[in-house]
PDB file of all heavy atoms in Angstrom:
ATOM      1  N   LYS A 179     -15.237   2.061   3.449  1.00  0.00           N
ATOM      2  CA  LYS A 179     -14.763   3.430   3.299  1.00  0.00           C
ATOM      3  C   LYS A 179     -15.729   4.453   3.655  1.00  0.00           C
ATOM      4  O   LYS A 179     -15.343   5.522   4.267  1.00  0.00           O
ATOM      5  CB  LYS A 179     -14.327   3.750   1.948  1.00  0.00           C
ATOM      6  CG  LYS A 179     -13.173   2.955   1.371  1.00  0.00           C
ATOM      7  CD  LYS A 179     -12.742   3.413   0.031  1.00  0.00           C
ATOM      8  CE  LYS A 179     -11.538   2.529  -0.572  1.00  0.00           C
ATOM      9  NZ  LYS A 179     -10.905   3.253  -1.584  1.00  0.00           N
ATOM     10  N   ILE A 219     -15.823  12.030  -8.148  1.00  0.00           N
ATOM     11  CA  ILE A 219     -15.253  10.704  -8.321  1.00  0.00           C
ATOM     12  C   ILE A 219     -16.172   9.780  -7.658  1.00  0.00           C
ATOM     13  O   ILE A 219     -16.641   9.915  -6.521  1.00  0.00           O
ATOM     14  CB  ILE A 219     -13.836  10.711  -7.665  1.00  0.00           C
ATOM     15  CG1 ILE A 219     -13.068   9.412  -7.980  1.00  0.00           C
ATOM     16  CG2 ILE A 219     -13.568  11.021  -6.323  1.00  0.00           C
ATOM     17  CD1 ILE A 219     -11.619   9.424  -7.789  1.00  0.00           C
ATOM     18  N   LYS A 221     -16.642   5.969  -6.105  1.00  0.00           N
ATOM     19  CA  LYS A 221     -15.775   4.883  -5.589  1.00  0.00           C
ATOM     20  C   LYS A 221     -16.562   3.839  -4.964  1.00  0.00           C
ATOM     21  O   LYS A 221     -17.726   4.084  -4.343  1.00  0.00           O
ATOM     22  CB  LYS A 221     -15.029   5.611  -4.352  1.00  0.00           C
ATOM     23  CG  LYS A 221     -13.965   6.652  -4.808  1.00  0.00           C
ATOM     24  CD  LYS A 221     -13.314   7.124  -3.482  1.00  0.00           C
ATOM     25  CE  LYS A 221     -11.996   7.754  -3.697  1.00  0.00           C
ATOM     26  NZ  LYS A 221     -11.439   8.048  -2.384  1.00  0.00           N
ATOM     27  N   GLY A 226     -10.224  -0.989  -3.331  1.00  0.00           N
ATOM     28  CA  GLY A 226      -8.811  -1.059  -3.094  1.00  0.00           C
ATOM     29  C   GLY A 226      -8.092  -1.102  -4.285  1.00  0.00           C
ATOM     30  O   GLY A 226      -8.576  -1.637  -5.346  1.00  0.00           O
ATOM     31  N   GLY A 227      -6.823  -0.736  -4.363  1.00  0.00           N
ATOM     32  CA  GLY A 227      -5.922  -1.017  -5.586  1.00  0.00           C
ATOM     33  C   GLY A 227      -6.437  -0.097  -6.864  1.00  0.00           C
ATOM     34  O   GLY A 227      -6.207  -0.465  -7.896  1.00  0.00           O
ATOM     35  N   GLY A 228      -7.131   0.960  -6.431  1.00  0.00           N
ATOM     36  CA  GLY A 228      -7.662   1.869  -7.453  1.00  0.00           C
ATOM     37  C   GLY A 228      -8.807   1.365  -8.324  1.00  0.00           C
ATOM     38  O   GLY A 228      -9.226   2.001  -9.274  1.00  0.00           O
ATOM     39  N   GLU A 263     -17.461  11.437  -4.248  1.00  0.00           N
ATOM     40  CA  GLU A 263     -16.742  12.423  -3.543  1.00  0.00           C
ATOM     41  C   GLU A 263     -16.436  13.586  -4.542  1.00  0.00           C
ATOM     42  O   GLU A 263     -16.402  13.245  -5.725  1.00  0.00           O
ATOM     43  CB  GLU A 263     -15.296  11.862  -3.188  1.00  0.00           C
ATOM     44  CG  GLU A 263     -15.417  11.255  -1.683  1.00  0.00           C
ATOM     45  CD  GLU A 263     -13.983  10.602  -1.514  1.00  0.00           C
ATOM     46  OE1 GLU A 263     -13.013  10.728  -2.240  1.00  0.00           O
ATOM     47  OE2 GLU A 263     -13.831  10.072  -0.329  1.00  0.00           O
ATOM     48  N   LYS A 264     -16.300  14.612  -4.042  1.00  0.00           N
ATOM     49  CA  LYS A 264     -15.701  15.807  -4.792  1.00  0.00           C
ATOM     50  C   LYS A 264     -14.346  15.316  -5.371  1.00  0.00           C
ATOM     51  O   LYS A 264     -13.506  14.724  -4.631  1.00  0.00           O
ATOM     52  CB  LYS A 264     -15.443  16.959  -3.965  1.00  0.00           C
ATOM     53  CG  LYS A 264     -14.933  18.191  -4.587  1.00  0.00           C
ATOM     54  CD  LYS A 264     -15.862  18.946  -5.379  1.00  0.00           C
ATOM     55  CE  LYS A 264     -15.212  19.925  -6.301  1.00  0.00           C
ATOM     56  NZ  LYS A 264     -16.084  20.452  -7.421  1.00  0.00           N
ATOM     57  N   TYR A 265     -14.023  15.589  -6.609  1.00  0.00           N
ATOM     58  CA  TYR A 265     -12.807  15.192  -7.206  1.00  0.00           C
ATOM     59  C   TYR A 265     -11.794  16.336  -6.893  1.00  0.00           C
ATOM     60  O   TYR A 265     -11.946  17.377  -7.427  1.00  0.00           O
ATOM     61  CB  TYR A 265     -12.836  14.877  -8.633  1.00  0.00           C
ATOM     62  CG  TYR A 265     -11.515  14.436  -9.284  1.00  0.00           C
ATOM     63  CD1 TYR A 265     -10.820  13.343  -8.884  1.00  0.00           C
ATOM     64  CD2 TYR A 265     -10.946  15.295 -10.202  1.00  0.00           C
ATOM     65  CE1 TYR A 265      -9.539  12.950  -9.336  1.00  0.00           C
ATOM     66  CE2 TYR A 265      -9.709  14.929 -10.750  1.00  0.00           C
ATOM     67  CZ  TYR A 265      -9.074  13.801 -10.366  1.00  0.00           C
ATOM     68  OH  TYR A 265      -7.793  13.560 -10.845  1.00  0.00           O
ATOM     69  N   ILE A 266     -10.834  16.147  -6.060  1.00  0.00           N
ATOM     70  CA  ILE A 266      -9.839  17.175  -5.694  1.00  0.00           C
ATOM     71  C   ILE A 266      -8.886  17.217  -6.898  1.00  0.00           C
ATOM     72  O   ILE A 266      -8.112  16.296  -7.164  1.00  0.00           O
ATOM     73  CB  ILE A 266      -9.206  16.900  -4.420  1.00  0.00           C
ATOM     74  CG1 ILE A 266     -10.040  16.473  -3.378  1.00  0.00           C
ATOM     75  CG2 ILE A 266      -8.273  18.060  -4.041  1.00  0.00           C
ATOM     76  CD1 ILE A 266     -10.746  17.551  -2.470  1.00  0.00           C
ATOM     77  N   HIS A 271      -1.070  12.852  -2.599  1.00  0.00           N
ATOM     78  CA  HIS A 271      -1.354  11.753  -1.821  1.00  0.00           C
ATOM     79  C   HIS A 271      -0.326  11.725  -0.559  1.00  0.00           C
ATOM     80  O   HIS A 271       0.833  11.315  -0.865  1.00  0.00           O
ATOM     81  CB  HIS A 271      -1.591  10.526  -2.594  1.00  0.00           C
ATOM     82  CG  HIS A 271      -1.605   9.293  -1.579  1.00  0.00           C
ATOM     83  ND1 HIS A 271      -2.796   8.459  -1.868  1.00  0.00           N
ATOM     84  CD2 HIS A 271      -1.003   8.748  -0.606  1.00  0.00           C
ATOM     85  CE1 HIS A 271      -2.677   7.507  -0.846  1.00  0.00           C
ATOM     86  NE2 HIS A 271      -1.599   7.591  -0.178  1.00  0.00           N
ATOM     87  N   GLN A 295       1.710   8.159  -9.025  1.00  0.00           N
ATOM     88  CA  GLN A 295       0.825   7.042  -9.158  1.00  0.00           C
ATOM     89  C   GLN A 295       0.514   6.868 -10.716  1.00  0.00           C
ATOM     90  O   GLN A 295       0.396   7.949 -11.411  1.00  0.00           O
ATOM     91  CB  GLN A 295      -0.498   7.265  -8.569  1.00  0.00           C
ATOM     92  CG  GLN A 295      -0.337   7.616  -7.114  1.00  0.00           C
ATOM     93  CD  GLN A 295      -1.799   7.915  -6.371  1.00  0.00           C
ATOM     94  OE1 GLN A 295      -2.849   8.038  -7.216  1.00  0.00           O
ATOM     95  NE2 GLN A 295      -1.811   7.843  -5.079  1.00  0.00           N
ATOM     96  N   HIS A 298      -4.177   5.452 -10.319  1.00  0.00           N
ATOM     97  CA  HIS A 298      -4.376   5.213  -8.767  1.00  0.00           C
ATOM     98  C   HIS A 298      -3.542   4.275  -8.259  1.00  0.00           C
ATOM     99  O   HIS A 298      -3.907   3.787  -7.000  1.00  0.00           O
ATOM    100  CB  HIS A 298      -5.887   5.058  -8.517  1.00  0.00           C
ATOM    101  CG  HIS A 298      -6.779   6.036  -9.217  1.00  0.00           C
ATOM    102  ND1 HIS A 298      -6.669   7.366  -9.048  1.00  0.00           N
ATOM    103  CD2 HIS A 298      -7.603   5.808 -10.108  1.00  0.00           C
ATOM    104  CE1 HIS A 298      -7.522   7.924  -9.850  1.00  0.00           C
ATOM    105  NE2 HIS A 298      -8.163   7.117 -10.575  1.00  0.00           N
ATOM    106  N   GLU A 338      -4.632   7.753   5.136  1.00  0.00           N
ATOM    107  CA  GLU A 338      -4.402   8.425   3.870  1.00  0.00           C
ATOM    108  C   GLU A 338      -5.131   9.735   3.720  1.00  0.00           C
ATOM    109  O   GLU A 338      -6.321   9.710   4.012  1.00  0.00           O
ATOM    110  CB  GLU A 338      -4.694   7.462   2.663  1.00  0.00           C
ATOM    111  CG  GLU A 338      -3.886   6.230   2.595  1.00  0.00           C
ATOM    112  CD  GLU A 338      -4.193   5.407   1.451  1.00  0.00           C
ATOM    113  OE1 GLU A 338      -5.221   5.452   0.859  1.00  0.00           O
ATOM    114  OE2 GLU A 338      -3.287   4.550   1.103  1.00  0.00           O
ATOM    115  N   LEU A 340      -5.702  13.369   1.151  1.00  0.00           N
ATOM    116  CA  LEU A 340      -5.348  14.227  -0.114  1.00  0.00           C
ATOM    117  C   LEU A 340      -5.054  15.584   0.443  1.00  0.00           C
ATOM    118  O   LEU A 340      -5.651  16.028   1.369  1.00  0.00           O
ATOM    119  CB  LEU A 340      -6.550  14.178  -1.008  1.00  0.00           C
ATOM    120  CG  LEU A 340      -6.882  12.886  -1.716  1.00  0.00           C
ATOM    121  CD1 LEU A 340      -8.184  13.046  -2.526  1.00  0.00           C
ATOM    122  CD2 LEU A 340      -5.616  12.413  -2.684  1.00  0.00           C
ATOM    123  N   GLU A 351      -8.870   7.526   3.445  1.00  0.00           N
ATOM    124  CA  GLU A 351      -9.161   6.188   3.941  1.00  0.00           C
ATOM    125  C   GLU A 351      -8.053   5.782   4.868  1.00  0.00           C
ATOM    126  O   GLU A 351      -6.975   6.421   4.879  1.00  0.00           O
ATOM    127  CB  GLU A 351      -9.374   5.246   2.829  1.00  0.00           C
ATOM    128  CG  GLU A 351      -8.014   4.856   2.007  1.00  0.00           C
ATOM    129  CD  GLU A 351      -8.187   3.608   1.172  1.00  0.00           C
ATOM    130  OE1 GLU A 351      -8.890   2.725   1.641  1.00  0.00           O
ATOM    131  OE2 GLU A 351      -7.472   3.549   0.225  1.00  0.00           O
TER     132      GLU A 351
HETATM  133  P1  LIG B  27      -7.662   2.612  -3.393  1.00  0.00           P
HETATM  134  O1  LIG B  27      -8.293   2.055  -1.888  1.00  0.00           O
HETATM  135  O2  LIG B  27      -8.369   1.797  -4.416  1.00  0.00           O
HETATM  136  O3  LIG B  27      -6.233   2.634  -3.368  1.00  0.00           O
HETATM  137  P2  LIG B  27      -7.914   5.365  -2.594  1.00  0.00           P
HETATM  138  O4  LIG B  27      -9.205   5.802  -1.887  1.00  0.00           O
HETATM  139  O5  LIG B  27      -6.831   5.119  -1.671  1.00  0.00           O
HETATM  140  O6  LIG B  27      -8.255   4.128  -3.416  1.00  0.00           O
HETATM  141  O7  LIG B  27      -7.618   6.335  -3.673  1.00  0.00           O
HETATM  142  C1  LIG B  27      -6.416   6.047  -4.642  1.00  0.00           C
HETATM  143  C2  LIG B  27      -6.091   7.254  -5.349  1.00  0.00           C
HETATM  144  O8  LIG B  27      -7.127   7.793  -6.159  1.00  0.00           O
HETATM  145  C3  LIG B  27      -5.555   8.384  -4.399  1.00  0.00           C
HETATM  146  O9  LIG B  27      -4.274   8.312  -4.032  1.00  0.00           O
HETATM  147  C4  LIG B  27      -5.763   9.569  -5.380  1.00  0.00           C
HETATM  148  O10 LIG B  27      -4.711   9.690  -6.227  1.00  0.00           O
HETATM  149  C5  LIG B  27      -7.038   9.315  -6.096  1.00  0.00           C
HETATM  150  N1  LIG B  27      -8.301   9.783  -5.523  1.00  0.00           N
HETATM  151  C6  LIG B  27      -9.108   9.170  -4.645  1.00  0.00           C
HETATM  152  N2  LIG B  27     -10.080   9.965  -4.191  1.00  0.00           N
HETATM  153  C7  LIG B  27     -10.003  11.171  -4.825  1.00  0.00           C
HETATM  154  C8  LIG B  27     -10.589  12.403  -4.730  1.00  0.00           C
HETATM  155  N3  LIG B  27     -11.698  12.570  -4.085  1.00  0.00           N
HETATM  156  N4  LIG B  27     -10.012  13.460  -5.523  1.00  0.00           N
HETATM  157  C9  LIG B  27      -8.947  13.194  -6.220  1.00  0.00           C
HETATM  158  N5  LIG B  27      -8.296  12.098  -6.366  1.00  0.00           N
HETATM  159  C10 LIG B  27      -8.776  11.072  -5.489  1.00  0.00           C
END
Side-chain angles (χ1 to χ4, degrees):
K179 294 187 185 193
I219 184 164
K221 290 179 157 187
E263 271 178 2
K264 175 85 192 155
Y265 180 64
I266 313 279
H271 172 122
Q295 307 181 343
H298 310 301
E338 296 191 336
L340 288 176
E351 66 163 333

